[in-house]
Amino acid sequence: MRLSAYPIVNLKEVPADAEVVSHKLMLRAGLIRRLSAGLYSWMPIGLRVLRKVEAIVREEMNRAGALEILMPTIQPAELWQESGRWEEYGPELLRITDRHERAYVYGPTHEEVVTDIARRELRSYRQLPVNFYQIQLKFRDEIRPRFGVMRSREFIMKDAYSFHADEASLDEGYRRMHDAYQRIFTRCGLSFRAVHADSGSIGGTGSQEFHVLAASGEDAIVFSDGDDYAANLELAPALPPPGGRPAASAPLTEVATPKAHTIADLVTQLGVPASQCVKTLIVDGAAGDLVALVIRGDHELNAIKAQKLPGVANPLKMASPDRIRTELGAEVGSIGPVGLACRLVVDHAAAALADFVSGANKPGFHVTGCNWGRDLPEPVTADLRNVVEGDPSPTGNGVLGIARGIEVGHIFKLGRKYSAAMKAEVADENSQPLTVYMGCYGIGITRVVAAAIEQNHDEAGIIWPDPIAPFKVLLVPMNWLKSERVREVAERLYRELDAAGLEPLLDDRDARPGVKFADGELYGIPHRIVIGERGLDAGVLEYRHRRATDNEEAPLEGLTEFLRERIRQSSTGPA
Ligand code: ATP
Ligand code: MG
């Protein structure tokens, strides 16, 4: 492409609602334009990136044996009533009515439609397993569309659905998709992790999310340095500390702690570490009672774990200060387990403390030297907290680290949820009806583009990984208008690189070099060649990789080979 023929102007200012860097850069560089809340148009350069991601996904899905189809975006309500999701799905589901007053939805996902295809087309177990996929628009009426195409309302998903005669075949199909996803995100040049998403149980393979690692990610993910264990923070189990509890050595003592309402206040007033204090959180019980959850002062409550406890209200609800006052006679800020008239559940780490500090259930006082089994009964324990960096991995190998991630893909064993509800059956070996097993596998194609930018950018702009860059090579001729020689060489190189498939972008605009360099950096084109009179005298050009800080010489003759080699080097893995 020639920039002189490209009408989209870079934005100098981005709207205030663009909070994250990918959204800002995509708007500045003119990759996308907003139509209305959560709805974006893909402009020429942006679309080139999107198509590259699509192409990689399509190739790997085909290689894994999946069959591409295309299903309508608009789906009849009857199918959603059959699956039960017409009621279940809630306001993210866009419901529409046609001129005959028939109800439809704009598909947020396609399990119903593909299950309908399967029950019509698949008759015998001999036709299984099969995997149908598509690359199609979805609409989800997100409550807070934000971050541009990262969480939009309309977006493009690659969604695949597999059908199997038994669970072993489903496991195999799931594993294939897992491997295909590994290849897809590796080929996109991204640094990513597959994390357990359904349960923290080790080796649980019912559902995994693929996360692109980026500081701005919405999700906290936990991974081990000892093996490939990775899980959502919400689900990673915290093991009981090894070694048990030390013996009690201090007497239970009430101390005045005026105005100490938080653990941080206690730490300064009493000079004890937060890890020697406990926090007592009162939540609603399932039977209209109250339950006290006790965790260490330096730990955070994990709501997902807490609400799964028997007898605790799900979803988790903190008890109101009024209820705590009337039913427990305590004030939030000075609650402690000693003498508290309600059921206690104590996190493993808090239960392993001796001589700890807690609220005294009396405003302005705390107790020190608290000990389980002496001042309090032996505790009922559970895993109630988020893991922290340095905790042992639940697999027993290595310690845990925490990173932030952007969910770009999700693979899921559905089992018979949809096939049973919608009667997707085939004849088994004995001609008896068999309800098929299903898996579903999604990739947010549009989100991948934004996530790639979140992971790869600097002050000046985007740094595309080679495999998804809109153009591989930027040609910057100096003195375009004045130097006929530069123009001739630039035109020749442009044609040569184009013919060699190196996807050149020629900046043939009548603009200052500074403007051309800045725009090239904003667009994130990985390889830049500058063509100047002086270099041509010596038969050389100037080369620089988007990540490099210095120029190198590149040969005028043999430039294609030179660039091929550079592209090969920078494509061999994520930076
Ligand atoms: P999230 O938790 O981010 O809302 P989800 O769990 O609802 O995602 P899935 O139903 O698993 O997402 O959809 C598959 C993929 O589609 C996700 O992994 C993500 O990459 C993408 N995706 C989901 N919602 C959006 C959205 N609003 N905008 C862009 N991509 C999305
Ligand atoms: Mg969602």
mmCIF file with all atom_site columns, all heavy atoms in Angstrom, residues 547-558:
data_model
loop_
_atom_site.group_PDB
_atom_site.id
_atom_site.type_symbol
_atom_site.label_atom_id
_atom_site.label_alt_id
_atom_site.label_comp_id
_atom_site.label_asym_id
_atom_site.label_entity_id
_atom_site.label_seq_id
_atom_site.pdbx_PDB_ins_code
_atom_site.Cartn_x
_atom_site.Cartn_y
_atom_site.Cartn_z
_atom_site.occupancy
_atom_site.B_iso_or_equiv
_atom_site.pdbx_formal_charge
_atom_site.auth_seq_id
_atom_site.auth_comp_id
_atom_site.auth_asym_id
_atom_site.auth_atom_id
_atom_site.pdbx_PDB_model_num
ATOM 1  N N   . ARG A 1 547 ? 11.799 -2.593 17.321 1.00 0.00 ? 547 ARG A N   1
ATOM 2  C CA  . ARG A 1 547 ? 12.231 -2.684 18.724 1.00 0.00 ? 547 ARG A CA  1
ATOM 3  C C   . ARG A 1 547 ? 13.648 -2.168 18.941 1.00 0.00 ? 547 ARG A C   1
ATOM 4  O O   . ARG A 1 547 ? 14.083 -2.026 20.082 1.00 0.00 ? 547 ARG A O   1
ATOM 5  C CB  . ARG A 1 547 ? 12.190 -4.135 19.209 1.00 0.00 ? 547 ARG A CB  1
ATOM 6  C CG  . ARG A 1 547 ? 10.796 -4.634 19.506 1.00 0.00 ? 547 ARG A CG  1
ATOM 7  C CD  . ARG A 1 547 ? 10.832 -5.981 20.207 1.00 0.00 ? 547 ARG A CD  1
ATOM 8  N NE  . ARG A 1 547 ? 9.521  -6.596 20.163 1.00 0.00 ? 547 ARG A NE  1
ATOM 9  C CZ  . ARG A 1 547 ? 8.539  -6.312 21.035 1.00 0.00 ? 547 ARG A CZ  1
ATOM 10 N NH1 . ARG A 1 547 ? 8.752  -5.474 22.025 1.00 0.00 ? 547 ARG A NH1 1
ATOM 11 N NH2 . ARG A 1 547 ? 7.352  -6.875 20.897 1.00 0.00 ? 547 ARG A NH2 1
ATOM 12 N N   . ALA A 1 548 ? 14.399 -1.951 17.876 1.00 0.00 ? 548 ALA A N   1
ATOM 13 C CA  . ALA A 1 548 ? 15.811 -1.571 18.021 1.00 0.00 ? 548 ALA A CA  1
ATOM 14 C C   . ALA A 1 548 ? 15.950 -0.069 18.224 1.00 0.00 ? 548 ALA A C   1
ATOM 15 O O   . ALA A 1 548 ? 15.028 0.693  17.950 1.00 0.00 ? 548 ALA A O   1
ATOM 16 C CB  . ALA A 1 548 ? 16.592 -2.007 16.791 1.00 0.00 ? 548 ALA A CB  1
ATOM 17 N N   . THR A 1 549 ? 17.125 0.334  18.722 1.00 0.00 ? 549 THR A N   1
ATOM 18 C CA  . THR A 1 549 ? 17.338 1.763  18.929 1.00 0.00 ? 549 THR A CA  1
ATOM 19 C C   . THR A 1 549 ? 18.342 2.337  17.939 1.00 0.00 ? 549 THR A C   1
ATOM 20 O O   . THR A 1 549 ? 18.508 3.536  17.854 1.00 0.00 ? 549 THR A O   1
ATOM 21 C CB  . THR A 1 549 ? 17.846 2.029  20.359 1.00 0.00 ? 549 THR A CB  1
ATOM 22 O OG1 . THR A 1 549 ? 18.855 1.067  20.645 1.00 0.00 ? 549 THR A OG1 1
ATOM 23 C CG2 . THR A 1 549 ? 16.730 1.895  21.376 1.00 0.00 ? 549 THR A CG2 1
ATOM 24 N N   . ASP A 1 550 ? 19.053 1.457  17.218 1.00 0.00 ? 550 ASP A N   1
ATOM 25 C CA  . ASP A 1 550 ? 20.060 1.951  16.282 1.00 0.00 ? 550 ASP A CA  1
ATOM 26 C C   . ASP A 1 550 ? 19.784 1.481  14.862 1.00 0.00 ? 550 ASP A C   1
ATOM 27 O O   . ASP A 1 550 ? 19.184 0.441  14.653 1.00 0.00 ? 550 ASP A O   1
ATOM 28 C CB  . ASP A 1 550 ? 21.449 1.462  16.700 1.00 0.00 ? 550 ASP A CB  1
ATOM 29 C CG  . ASP A 1 550 ? 21.884 2.117  17.999 1.00 0.00 ? 550 ASP A CG  1
ATOM 30 O OD1 . ASP A 1 550 ? 21.678 3.329  18.135 1.00 0.00 ? 550 ASP A OD1 1
ATOM 31 O OD2 . ASP A 1 550 ? 22.380 1.383  18.881 1.00 0.00 ? 550 ASP A OD2 1
ATOM 32 N N   . ASN A 1 551 ? 20.311 2.282  13.922 1.00 0.00 ? 551 ASN A N   1
ATOM 33 C CA  . ASN A 1 551 ? 20.210 1.893  12.519 1.00 0.00 ? 551 ASN A CA  1
ATOM 34 C C   . ASN A 1 551 ? 21.313 0.910  12.170 1.00 0.00 ? 551 ASN A C   1
ATOM 35 O O   . ASN A 1 551 ? 22.358 0.883  12.803 1.00 0.00 ? 551 ASN A O   1
ATOM 36 C CB  . ASN A 1 551 ? 20.374 3.119  11.620 1.00 0.00 ? 551 ASN A CB  1
ATOM 37 C CG  . ASN A 1 551 ? 19.178 4.039  11.754 1.00 0.00 ? 551 ASN A CG  1
ATOM 38 O OD1 . ASN A 1 551 ? 18.066 3.588  12.021 1.00 0.00 ? 551 ASN A OD1 1
ATOM 39 N ND2 . ASN A 1 551 ? 19.426 5.329  11.578 1.00 0.00 ? 551 ASN A ND2 1
ATOM 40 N N   . GLU A 1 552 ? 21.023 0.139  11.120 1.00 0.00 ? 552 GLU A N   1
ATOM 41 C CA  . GLU A 1 552 ? 22.033 -0.748 10.552 1.00 0.00 ? 552 GLU A CA  1
ATOM 42 C C   . GLU A 1 552 ? 22.062 -0.465 9.066  1.00 0.00 ? 552 GLU A C   1
ATOM 43 O O   . GLU A 1 552 ? 21.089 0.052  8.519  1.00 0.00 ? 552 GLU A O   1
ATOM 44 C CB  . GLU A 1 552 ? 21.552 -2.195 10.661 1.00 0.00 ? 552 GLU A CB  1
ATOM 45 C CG  . GLU A 1 552 ? 21.862 -2.920 11.905 1.00 0.00 ? 552 GLU A CG  1
ATOM 46 C CD  . GLU A 1 552 ? 21.218 -4.308 11.804 1.00 0.00 ? 552 GLU A CD  1
ATOM 47 O OE1 . GLU A 1 552 ? 21.645 -5.106 10.952 1.00 0.00 ? 552 GLU A OE1 1
ATOM 48 O OE2 . GLU A 1 552 ? 20.267 -4.554 12.556 1.00 0.00 ? 552 GLU A OE2 1
ATOM 49 N N   . GLU A 1 553 ? 23.164 -0.874 8.429  1.00 0.00 ? 553 GLU A N   1
ATOM 50 C CA  . GLU A 1 553 ? 23.183 -0.759 6.974  1.00 0.00 ? 553 GLU A CA  1
ATOM 51 C C   . GLU A 1 553 ? 22.489 -1.949 6.356  1.00 0.00 ? 553 GLU A C   1
ATOM 52 O O   . GLU A 1 553 ? 22.615 -3.069 6.847  1.00 0.00 ? 553 GLU A O   1
ATOM 53 C CB  . GLU A 1 553 ? 24.636 -0.750 6.479  1.00 0.00 ? 553 GLU A CB  1
ATOM 54 C CG  . GLU A 1 553 ? 25.143 0.642  6.271  1.00 0.00 ? 553 GLU A CG  1
ATOM 55 C CD  . GLU A 1 553 ? 26.544 0.647  5.681  1.00 0.00 ? 553 GLU A CD  1
ATOM 56 O OE1 . GLU A 1 553 ? 27.010 -0.413 5.199  1.00 0.00 ? 553 GLU A OE1 1
ATOM 57 O OE2 . GLU A 1 553 ? 27.153 1.716  5.723  1.00 0.00 ? 553 GLU A OE2 1
ATOM 58 N N   . ALA A 1 554 ? 21.762 -1.682 5.270  1.00 0.00 ? 554 ALA A N   1
ATOM 59 C CA  . ALA A 1 554 ? 21.175 -2.787 4.508  1.00 0.00 ? 554 ALA A CA  1
ATOM 60 C C   . ALA A 1 554 ? 21.627 -2.613 3.068  1.00 0.00 ? 554 ALA A C   1
ATOM 61 O O   . ALA A 1 554 ? 21.764 -1.481 2.594  1.00 0.00 ? 554 ALA A O   1
ATOM 62 C CB  . ALA A 1 554 ? 19.663 -2.732 4.593  1.00 0.00 ? 554 ALA A CB  1
ATOM 63 N N   . PRO A 1 555 ? 21.865 -3.704 2.348  1.00 0.00 ? 555 PRO A N   1
ATOM 64 C CA  . PRO A 1 555 ? 22.355 -3.576 0.973  1.00 0.00 ? 555 PRO A CA  1
ATOM 65 C C   . PRO A 1 555 ? 21.235 -3.178 0.019  1.00 0.00 ? 555 PRO A C   1
ATOM 66 O O   . PRO A 1 555 ? 20.115 -3.660 0.144  1.00 0.00 ? 555 PRO A O   1
ATOM 67 C CB  . PRO A 1 555 ? 22.841 -4.998 0.654  1.00 0.00 ? 555 PRO A CB  1
ATOM 68 C CG  . PRO A 1 555 ? 22.007 -5.877 1.505  1.00 0.00 ? 555 PRO A CG  1
ATOM 69 C CD  . PRO A 1 555 ? 21.692 -5.111 2.755  1.00 0.00 ? 555 PRO A CD  1
ATOM 70 N N   . LEU A 1 556 ? 21.548 -2.298 -0.902 1.00 0.00 ? 556 LEU A N   1
ATOM 71 C CA  . LEU A 1 556 ? 20.565 -1.912 -1.909 1.00 0.00 ? 556 LEU A CA  1
ATOM 72 C C   . LEU A 1 556 ? 20.279 -3.112 -2.810 1.00 0.00 ? 556 LEU A C   1
ATOM 73 O O   . LEU A 1 556 ? 19.127 -3.440 -3.080 1.00 0.00 ? 556 LEU A O   1
ATOM 74 C CB  . LEU A 1 556 ? 21.108 -0.735 -2.730 1.00 0.00 ? 556 LEU A CB  1
ATOM 75 C CG  . LEU A 1 556 ? 20.245 -0.246 -3.878 1.00 0.00 ? 556 LEU A CG  1
ATOM 76 C CD1 . LEU A 1 556 ? 18.859 0.141  -3.396 1.00 0.00 ? 556 LEU A CD1 1
ATOM 77 C CD2 . LEU A 1 556 ? 20.913 0.936  -4.565 1.00 0.00 ? 556 LEU A CD2 1
ATOM 78 N N   . GLU A 1 557 ? 21.367 -3.759 -3.262 1.00 0.00 ? 557 GLU A N   1
ATOM 79 C CA  . GLU A 1 557 ? 21.170 -4.973 -4.064 1.00 0.00 ? 557 GLU A CA  1
ATOM 80 C C   . GLU A 1 557 ? 21.073 -6.132 -3.080 1.00 0.00 ? 557 GLU A C   1
ATOM 81 O O   . GLU A 1 557 ? 21.910 -6.273 -2.203 1.00 0.00 ? 557 GLU A O   1
ATOM 82 C CB  . GLU A 1 557 ? 22.348 -5.180 -5.029 1.00 0.00 ? 557 GLU A CB  1
ATOM 83 C CG  . GLU A 1 557 ? 22.517 -4.054 -6.073 1.00 0.00 ? 557 GLU A CG  1
ATOM 84 C CD  . GLU A 1 557 ? 21.215 -3.651 -6.759 1.00 0.00 ? 557 GLU A CD  1
ATOM 85 O OE1 . GLU A 1 557 ? 20.406 -4.552 -7.087 1.00 0.00 ? 557 GLU A OE1 1
ATOM 86 O OE2 . GLU A 1 557 ? 20.981 -2.432 -6.935 1.00 0.00 ? 557 GLU A OE2 1
ATOM 87 N N   . GLY A 1 558 ? 20.031 -6.928 -3.226 1.00 0.00 ? 558 GLY A N   1
ATOM 88 C CA  . GLY A 1 558 ? 19.846 -8.040 -2.294 1.00 0.00 ? 558 GLY A CA  1
ATOM 89 C C   . GLY A 1 558 ? 19.047 -7.648 -1.058 1.00 0.00 ? 558 GLY A C   1
ATOM 90 O O   . GLY A 1 558 ? 19.094 -8.332 -0.034 1.00 0.00 ? 558 GLY A O   1
#
